[in-house]
Amino acid sequence: MFDFFFDIQKKYNVNIYVFCLIFFLSIIPFWLSFFKLISSLRKGDIKKIIFWTVTLGFVYFAPYLYIYLFGENFPFWFHFVFWGLIIVLIYTLIKKIANKLNAIKTDQGKNNWKDFFFWDLYSYPYNKLITFSTPHRELFNEVYQILNFEKDEYILDAGCGGGHLEDFFIRKGIGDAKIEAIDFSKKMLKDARTRCHGFPRINFNQLDLNKKLPYIDKSFDVIICISVLFAISSQEIFEEFYRILKSEGKLILVEPKPDFNGKKLWDPQKMGLKKLKYKAIKIYPLIPLIIFLNKIIDFKQRRDYYQQFSLNGLKEILDRIGFEIKITKLVLADQDWLILAIKKSII
Ligand SMILES: C[S@@+](CC[C@H](N)C(=O)[O-])C[C@H]1O[C@@H](n2cnc3c(N)ncnc32)[C@H](O)[C@@H]1O
């Protein structure tokens, strides 16, 4: 047994301790993959058979991969095994990703799987940063003041993201009101459900705002839509909001100005992070990611894939559909417009 290891050291000029470590560490995964492969063969599950064969091959050759990468004088067939394994590994990975994307495609309609993926990714930095954003807290408070929680209102939050608004409402108290919070990003909804866990009067639902919404006419007393409309490809959403809102119902929209300056919003957010001191270490690495993702949003807006609304543009659309504008004011460090519109009742 020892001769085997010393031979390897002599033959391939590798560190025998590292080789032994990899060799012994791979024994348990080897037998585990072996038994998993046998059970997959019995069940006839092709996908699992391929997966466990690849894993078994990989684990079996792991000590030899060390020789391949760090040793000398290895036989020619090592090249085949090494590159064979790499190719099979890459192929399996690509297949896995393609299957995932196909599942999203069939789940979500043809065109929006990229958006779906984008907002899932966006949730990582956004949901962390927003937790410390003073401008967002001020905005949520502004929205809270507009609502009337004395009455048991039925509220729709269209594009609820990570549920920060709902969390704010829960802390302030929402009386007997009920909230329907919708978003199409699974990751955003997962975060939102965790944030508002155990609060039964909030229902989270995965829905696409580019499609007809599954609510009957005049369902809601209030619709809130914060920083979402720019990402919706069609203006039919305004008509949909009109349809599902009760007469005299409130529509609260918050949309970035066309000359939105991210830096101006970032400055007060930075103050919030500074207060966290060393705890902010985990959050700083997310900042380049959100800057990069915001650049993609800019790019999509320039390509007219995402929309941009001027205040007058928004007012015009709302007026045409049958809303009366009650309040317009700047929020989020003066980078977004808040609009409160009321659905005019038809006599
Ligand atoms: C910038 S975030 C704002 C989230 C939340 N309103 C807030 O203020 O924290 C935009 C949200 O819109 C959602 N969204 C984008 N396109 C959507 C669509 N077509 N249907 C539903 N939600 C969508 C995203 O998943 C994301 O959660």
Side-chain angles (χ1 to χ4, degrees), residues 17-31:
Y17 298 110
V18 178
F19 182 84
C20 285
L21 187 76
I22 301 173
F23 185 88
F24 287 111
L25 281 181
S26 59
I27 290 177
I28 295 176
F30 174 84
W31 286 111

Side-chain angles (χ1 to χ4, degrees), residues 8 11-12 61 64 67-68 71-82:
I8 293 244
K11 239 172 149 174
Y12 305 120
F61 281 104
Y64 298 97
I67 293 179
Y68 182 75
E72 294 165 0
N73 316 321
F74 44 79
F76 197 69
W77 60 266
F78 268 43
H79 288 297
F80 290 104
V81 176
F82 179 78

Side-chain angles (χ1 to χ4, degrees), residues 309-322:
F309 296 100
S310 66
L311 180 61
N312 281 341
L314 273 174
K315 278 181 175 172
E316 234 168 70
I317 297 170
L318 292 172
D319 184 55
R320 176 167 43 82
I321 289 172

Side-chain angles (χ1 to χ4, degrees), residues 139-193:
L139 166 65
F140 294 162
N141 197 38
E142 196 96 43
V143 175
Y144 187 82
Q145 302 304 327
I146 295 172
L147 303 182
N148 183 359
F149 286 113
E150 310 274 281
K151 279 180 27 193
D152 51 351
E153 295 195 307
Y154 189 28
I155 300 165
L156 175 74
D157 183 9
C160 63
H164 292 89
L165 179 70
E166 287 67 27
D167 182 44
F168 183 90
F169 284 177
I170 293 170
R171 285 165 201 271
K172 283 264 190 183
I174 63 166
D176 288 331
K178 269 172 66 185
I179 302 179
E180 179 78 1
I182 62 173
D183 202 289
F184 79 161
S185 152
K186 273 190 186 156
K187 172 68 173 53
M188 285 281 189
L189 283 172
K190 187 171 170 239
D191 289 357
R193 287 194 178 105

Side-chain angles (χ1 to χ4, degrees), residues 96-337:
K96 249 198 148 118
I97 294 171
N99 283 347
K100 269 226 155 102
L101 292 179
N102 270 338
I104 293 169
K105 267 189 203 173
T106 37
D107 236 33
Q108 299 294 317
K110 266 190 191 146
N111 300 322
N112 66 7
W113 66 268
K114 283 185 208 144
D115 294 319
F116 183 81
F117 176 73
F118 177 84
W119 289 109
D120 269 6
L121 186 61
Y122 201 84
S123 72
Y124 289 95
Y126 185 77
N127 287 342
K128 281 258 155 50
L129 285 170
I130 203 175
T131 315
F132 311 103
S133 167
T134 321
H136 279 89
R137 224 165 308 130
E138 285 165 3
L139 166 65
F140 294 162
N141 197 38
E142 196 96 43
V143 175
Y144 187 82
Q145 302 304 327
I146 295 172
L147 303 182
N148 183 359
F149 286 113
E150 310 274 281
K151 279 180 27 193
D152 51 351
E153 295 195 307
Y154 189 28
I155 300 165
L156 175 74
D157 183 9
C160 63
H164 292 89
L165 179 70
E166 287 67 27
D167 182 44
F168 183 90
F169 284 177
I170 293 170
R171 285 165 201 271
K172 283 264 190 183
I174 63 166
D176 288 331
K178 269 172 66 185
I179 302 179
E180 179 78 1
I182 62 173
D183 202 289
F184 79 161
S185 152
K186 273 190 186 156
K187 172 68 173 53
M188 285 281 189
L189 283 172
K190 187 171 170 239
D191 289 357
R193 287 194 178 105
T194 312
R195 189 159 284 112
C196 305
H197 177 71
F199 199 81
R201 279 199 303 284
I202 300 181
N203 182 44
F204 291 101
N205 212 343
Q206 191 191 14
L207 289 173
D208 185 348
L209 290 165
N210 279 315
K211 295 186 180 155
K212 209 167 156 52
L213 296 172
Y215 304 107
I216 54 168
D217 296 358
K218 301 185 179 174
S219 297
F220 296 97
D221 299 285
V222 181
I223 296 176
I224 304 167
C225 189
I226 300 179
S227 313
V228 179
L229 285 177
F230 68 85
I232 306 300
S233 53
S234 118
Q235 293 194 358
E236 278 165 36
I237 185 68
F238 292 98
E239 272 143 43
E240 212 37 17
F241 283 165
Y242 184 87
R243 181 184 69 77
I244 60 177
L245 199 57
K246 290 180 187 166
S247 295
E248 307 288 327
K250 294 172 186 153
L251 175 64
I252 301 169
L253 298 180
V254 175
E255 271 301 291
K257 298 189 298 181
D259 59 346
F260 174 90
N261 183 339
K263 196 181 166 312
K264 289 199 176 146
L265 178 57
W266 168 236
D267 284 341
Q269 287 178 332
K270 228 169 20 189
M271 303 305 287
L273 276 186
K274 273 192 183 147
K275 280 189 205 145
L276 282 179
K277 294 183 183 153
Y278 71 92
K279 283 188 193 151
I281 290 172
K282 279 195 281 187
I283 296 160
Y284 279 112
L286 297 172
I287 293 163
L289 178 59
I290 199 149
I291 292 174
F292 171 69
L293 294 174
N294 283 337
K295 289 266 175 248
I296 294 182
I297 293 180
D298 279 353
F299 175 77
K300 287 187 174 190
Q301 281 180 328
R302 269 184 270 123
R303 290 277 171 120
D304 287 339
Y305 183 74
Y306 279 173
Q307 311 187 74
Q308 253 181 340
F309 296 100
S310 66
L311 180 61
N312 281 341
L314 273 174
K315 278 181 175 172
E316 234 168 70
I317 297 170
L318 292 172
D319 184 55
R320 176 167 43 82
I321 289 172
F323 286 100
E324 187 187 339
I325 315 276
K326 288 284 181 187
I327 299 175
T328 54
K329 67 181 293 187
L330 283 166
V331 290
L332 293 178
D334 292 350
Q335 296 313 301
D336 285 48
W337 284 109

